[in-house]
Amino acid sequence: MANHRINLTLVLTGGGALAAYQVGFLRCLARHRPDLQISVFTGVSAGAFNAAYLASHRGRFADAVEDLVHLWQDLTIDQVFRIDTWSLARQLVGWGLRLSTGASMGLGEAKALVDTTPLRALFRRNLSPGNGILEGLRENLAKDRVKALAVTGTNYATGQSVTWVQGRDIATWDRPHRRSVHTEITVDHILASCALPLLFPAVKVENTWYGDGGIRQAAPLSPALHLGAQRILAINTRYQKSMREADIPAVPGYPPPAQVLGIMLNAVFLDVLDQDVKQLERTNRLIRLLPDPKPEGLRPVNIFLLRPSRDLGRLAGEFEKSLPKTFRFLGRGLGTHRTASPDWLSMVLFDPRYLRTLIEIGEADAEQQMEGIEELLRE
């Protein structure tokens, strides 16, 4: 069923491998609305890749989603970073020597724990086979199929959250700790947004080094709102525990590094979306109480938030044994096998079986929530 543009914005958050869950949601949505037109795409970290892929695709929404599904279903960890023993050992030994000698041996700068050269190649193949420019996005903007794509990175020099925006009739915004830049988005911008701190190397964009956009993005809905969103579809990959589940310890005794890392990464990349959605809903209620005509610029923004029905971090523990031996050895050194919910592992578990399971869960969850989604699309 074809439909006309409804000024819909898609907000895709980060989470590394967990972004496969987003793809499952999109697959269900495409089955119900194969010709859906999305005006604005915003993404951060792995969500930035998904957003850029959809915004750049020249086919129907259903075709774009199905191509994205096939990409994620076949993704392996060696397509994201180098996992051969020599590469991992070289990176770890280098870090160890720098830490033990105070960087006094002239070893150069410590950039990251893994080499993400394969990820760059993957992005080039699927986003820009030519010169790094997203030619499909250019074309879709020119044909008025898309209004804007917004991708967020963190400026390591200033600590600012920077949102790069490419689109038509765009008004930029500036705040002390977050700002926007109207530019032509390239593969480098997407890579920068995906650069998990310390694990992945920073990416140079316009003479400045950037890392994962989720680090300082305190308001994930901000780009969508600044770009004029009227209806927002947002996907969070964070499972919302019940009170009973929340009180159950994930690890006995002293917490291993993997447990601490998981809590930190969840706080940085996943928890803030919930807070922002609650703030938007409170603001909507206040705006609706105001008499008409409402002050200029004030408008309620309808939002639908989808979240997993299962704990995707806990699920990752079931697939830990399928990791390459060397990387599994390193993970266990951090204690991934000691925690019942290895959330850190879930973000780097680019294993086809795990990714396909995430897609299936996302698709099933969306089907269960389709009535609410359709209500948003009909309003």
Side-chain angles (χ1 to χ4, degrees):
M1 176 178 63
N3 60 287
H4 299 289
R5 174 155 306 165
I6 53 177
N7 197 6
L8 179 66
T9 298
L10 182 65
V11 175
L12 300 177
T13 58
L18 296 176
Y21 176 82
Q22 301 170 355
V23 178
F25 162 84
L26 293 167
R27 191 179 211 180
C28 178
L29 182 60
R31 185 168 60 249
H32 288 265
R33 296 278 188 133
D35 295 299
L36 182 68
Q37 290 184 314
I38 298 174
S39 301
V40 176
F41 297 84
T42 78
V44 61
S45 195
F49 171 75
N50 286 342
Y53 189 93
L54 295 174
S56 302
H57 199 283
R58 294 178 171 90
R60 297 187 312 156
F61 178 65
D63 298 328
V65 170
E66 201 56 31
D67 288 346
L68 188 59
V69 168
H70 290 315
L71 190 158
W72 276 93
Q73 282 180 331
D74 298 327
L75 191 62
T76 55
I77 196 168
D78 60 338
Q79 292 177 276
V80 180
F81 50 85
R82 294 184 59 184
I83 57 169
D84 57 282
T85 302
W86 166 244
S87 178
L88 289 174
R90 183 179 57 189
Q91 298 293 106
L92 291 173
V93 169
W95 274 79
L97 288 173
R98 290 182 186 93
L99 290 171
S100 61
T101 65
S104 62
M105 296 177 61
L107 296 171
E109 294 178 309
K111 293 185 177 180
L113 290 173
V114 297
D115 180 350
T116 55
T117 301
L119 185 63
R120 176 178 289 276
L122 177 75
F123 283 7
R124 290 295 294 265
R125 285 196 306 272
N126 290 282
L127 294 176
S128 176
N131 57 5
I133 300 296
L134 278 57
E135 297 291 351
L137 176 60
R138 271 186 181 177
E139 185 176 314
N140 287 338
L141 288 168
K143 293 181 177 180
D144 196 29
R145 297 182 61 193
V146 172
K147 178 185 176 182
L149 168 66
V151 171
T152 300
T154 300
N155 186 323
Y156 278 153
T158 66
Q160 289 179 313
S161 176
V162 178
T163 298
W164 299 292
V165 185
Q166 183 174 349
R168 298 173 291 102
D169 305 321
I170 299 301
T172 57
W173 61 93
D174 286 282
R175 301 290 186 274
H177 298 296
R178 52 187 171 91
R179 58 190 295 264
S180 65
V181 176
H182 195 194
T183 188
E184 185 158 50
I185 294 174
T186 67
V187 167
D188 281 344
H189 294 92
I190 311 300
L191 275 170
S193 184
C194 294
L196 288 167
L198 298 181
L199 185 65
F200 290 3
V203 178
K204 196 173 187 180
V205 178
E206 298 173 0
N207 298 317
T208 302
W209 294 96
Y210 288 86
D212 198 297
I215 300 173
R216 290 298 302 270
Q217 193 181 47
L221 298 179
S222 173
L225 297 175
H226 281 292
L227 293 171
Q230 295 176 359
R231 309 173 196 188
I232 297 175
L233 272 174
I235 310 171
N236 195 350
T237 55
R238 180 86 154 111
Y239 172 69
Q240 189 172 46
K241 295 181 179 180
S242 66
M243 289 297 293
R244 183 183 63 82
E245 291 174 313
D247 287 336
I248 300 174
V251 59
Y254 193 85
Q259 176 69 10
V260 178
L261 281 171
I263 293 172
M264 290 174 59
L265 291 174
N266 280 337
V268 170
F269 296 114
L270 304 181
D271 292 347
V272 288
L273 178 59
D274 287 334
Q275 300 165 16
D276 215 18
V277 169
K278 289 179 181 177
Q279 179 63 42
L280 177 62
E281 290 172 341
R282 284 194 293 268
T283 303
N284 281 341
R285 288 195 292 269
L286 290 173
I287 291 175
R288 291 187 176 107
L289 290 173
L290 294 175
D292 292 325
K294 295 179 174 36
E296 184 178 354
L298 283 182
R299 67 188 190 284
V301 178
N302 297 321
I303 185 168
F304 182 90
L305 175 66
L306 182 78
R307 63 172 63 258
S309 59
R310 295 181 60 184
D311 188 334
L312 304 184
R314 184 177 293 270
L315 178 66
E318 300 177 18
F319 294 87
E320 187 258 355
K321 292 182 180 179
S322 62
L323 281 170
K325 185 180 296 185
T326 304
F327 196 75
R328 185 170 72 248
F329 176 79
L330 295 175
R332 291 193 170 189
L334 292 173
T336 53
H337 62 298
R338 288 184 49 207
T339 173
S341 185
D343 294 320
W344 173 83
L345 178 65
S346 70
M347 295 187 181
V348 295
L349 189 57
F350 295 96
D351 173 76
R353 291 194 305 150
Y354 180 59
L355 298 176
R356 290 173 185 176
T357 303
L358 295 182
I359 292 171
E360 291 170 3
I361 295 172
E363 190 172 358
D365 288 349
E367 192 63 56
Q368 288 291 320
Q369 299 292 325
M370 188 49 64
E371 184 177 345
I373 297 169
E374 286 287 1
E375 183 180 346
L376 175 78
L377 298 181
R378 286 193 301 264
E379 288 177 350

